[in-house]
Amino acid sequence: MIRRPPRSTLSSSSAASDVYKRQGINAEYGEPTAAHAVLTPELRMGCTCSEVNSHPDNDLIDCGVARSEEEEAALLARVRELFDPCWKEVYNHIDQDKDGFLTLDEITNAMAVRDLRPKEEIMKDAEMCMKEYDINCDKKISRKEWGKVEEHFFLEVWDWVRDINDDEVITRELGRYVMKVKQSFGMQAEDC
């Protein structure tokens, strides 16, 4: 078996917060979210094992899904096949002036399309994104720097996908993830 990467933080700007939201846990307060009620108990924790509700800190747990190295490699390829084009499409969508860089305004504008919060709050999230991924501090995110965003989120997705044993559930959840990511950055349903 291939070892898992370490878990990320619960920072609201981290990919881990997305995983916790998928679990129905408010990362900031540790409370159940509205989405929690619509998920089956097994999917609340991102896996299909029966010990889901017994884990004391509400983190994802290792459900003991046993895969050979070949099966693990095939699943990895399958996740990459869906994941990589998704984030490339998002980058191209956000890059409104098509100069190959993402600015704070472009990120904010993309996020604001479907987000009902006040624009100032959305801008704070965009600023956190810029701060985290603008590695050379030039106030724009290059395609290369965006690769760090992709990898950060890929590791989070890979972590919860690996705990799902049912191929149909994996396909459904990956499809939902791709749609959610695209919609989060203002892409319309037909683009998903």
Side-chain angles (χ1 to χ4, degrees):
M1 293 300 237
I2 300 169
R3 293 195 54 168
R4 295 169 194 230
R7 306 261 187 240
S8 294
T9 67
L10 282 177
S11 161
S12 62
S13 67
S14 76
S17 70
D18 183 59
V19 172
Y20 281 85
K21 288 173 194 166
R22 290 177 48 74
Q23 295 172 32
I25 302 300
N26 180 323
E28 191 171 339
Y29 303 107
E31 300 168 345
T33 65
H36 189 261
V38 300
L39 297 175
T40 63
E42 292 81 12
L43 292 178
R44 285 182 192 151
M45 300 304 286
C47 63
T48 58
C49 62
S50 60
E51 306 98 30
V52 167
N53 295 319
S54 64
H55 201 267
D57 63 1
N58 237 358
D59 195 3
L60 290 174
I61 56 177
D62 185 350
C63 296
V65 176
R67 290 187 180 90
S68 67
E69 286 191 31
E70 294 82 20
E71 290 170 326
E72 188 103 346
L75 180 59
L76 177 64
R78 181 174 160 201
V79 173
R80 282 271 185 215
E81 186 178 299
L82 281 171
F83 189 87
D84 292 346
C86 167
W87 282 96
K88 285 175 181 51
E89 287 177 50
V90 168
Y91 183 89
N92 292 332
H93 174 77
I94 297 171
D95 186 14
Q96 296 165 347
D97 61 10
K98 305 303 178 206
D99 66 350
F101 296 95
L102 305 182
T103 64
L104 178 61
D105 285 340
E106 287 175 324
I107 295 169
T108 303
N109 291 339
M111 292 170 69
V113 169
R114 295 189 55 110
D115 196 325
L116 301 176
R117 295 177 300 154
K119 191 147 185 175
E120 297 79 33
E121 287 183 35
I122 297 168
M123 184 171 269
K124 285 181 185 178
D125 286 348
E127 286 170 348
M128 289 185 344
C129 177
M130 184 66 73
K131 183 178 179 180
E132 190 168 349
Y133 297 109
D134 178 18
I135 297 166
N136 62 3
C137 301
D138 62 354
K139 303 213 183 291
K140 54 189 177 183
I141 297 176
S142 69
R143 184 70 187 98
K144 183 177 181 180
E145 290 168 320
W146 186 255
K148 301 291 184 191
V149 175
E150 292 174 9
E151 193 58 28
H152 179 94
F153 282 91
F154 176 79
L155 290 175
E156 291 296 334
V157 169
W158 179 238
D159 197 33
W160 60 261
V161 164
R162 293 175 69 199
D163 283 336
I164 302 173
N165 197 25
D166 185 319
D167 281 344
E168 288 180 29
V169 173
I170 290 171
T171 299
R172 183 184 71 229
E173 291 301 305
L174 285 173
R176 287 180 181 172
Y177 175 83
V178 166
M179 186 173 66
K180 178 182 172 185
V181 166
K182 290 180 177 184
Q183 289 176 342
S184 296
F185 287 99
M187 297 177 79
Q188 301 302 318
E190 61 270 7
D191 297 329
C192 302

